Amino acid sequence: AQLSVGLLHRFLGFVERLGEHPHKVSTWHGRLFPMRAWTCSGQRAHPLFVEHPDSRRSSVNLAMSLTWSGWLKAVRRCEEARRELTPKAGSSPAAQEAAALAAAARLFGGRGAKRRRGEEAEEEGGE
């Protein structure tokens, strides 16, 4: 499969739908499961559990180091990028492609990445 704007748009929407509630992604079964917000010990559940693809190690979370603040920032970035990738009504195919390339470059650290890093520094300084 080749990366396309449509595939990227759908993936960003998938991450966006996971949102603020914990989920488990089963790579072994190819399914997504909602998880409880709190653990049995009263702790807030991990935001994302990505199951190890080896069935013998399926209890290992590949997203173990992800924090809630990092997860929510990633979800927000996916929302922004998906919005930018969504074709504007009435725009030409060339304009749509140019907008998609610019959004993908910002998302993956290309042109516009300096602006993004500056925004993150402002966000971190304001917390």
Side-chain angles (χ1 to χ4, degrees), residues 84-85 96-108 110-113 115:
E84 288 187 50
L85 288 172
Q96 289 176 15
E97 183 175 347
L101 288 173
R106 278 192 295 284
L107 180 65
F108 295 113
R111 270 186 336 178
R115 183 180 65 83

Side-chain angles (χ1 to χ4, degrees), residues 30-113:
R31 296 197 49 207
L32 175 70
F33 303 94
M35 292 175 44
R36 294 182 180 165
W38 301 95
T39 66
C40 295
S41 63
Q43 300 295 316
R44 190 171 187 189
H46 199 273
L48 185 64
F49 186 102
V50 179
E51 178 183 80
H52 195 287
D54 183 340
S55 63
R56 295 169 293 169
R57 301 181 66 202
S58 64
S59 62
V60 174
N61 183 3
L62 297 178
M64 186 178 337
S65 63
L66 184 64
T67 63
W68 269 103
S69 64
W71 173 243
L72 294 176
K73 186 180 285 187
V75 169
R76 211 170 45 244
R77 294 286 187 246
C78 287
E79 290 170 354
E80 293 168 2
R82 194 174 68 81
R83 200 173 315 120
E84 288 187 50
L85 288 172
T86 302
K88 307 298 181 261
S91 62
S92 70
Q96 289 176 15
E97 183 175 347
L101 288 173
R106 278 192 295 284
L107 180 65
F108 295 113
R111 270 186 336 178

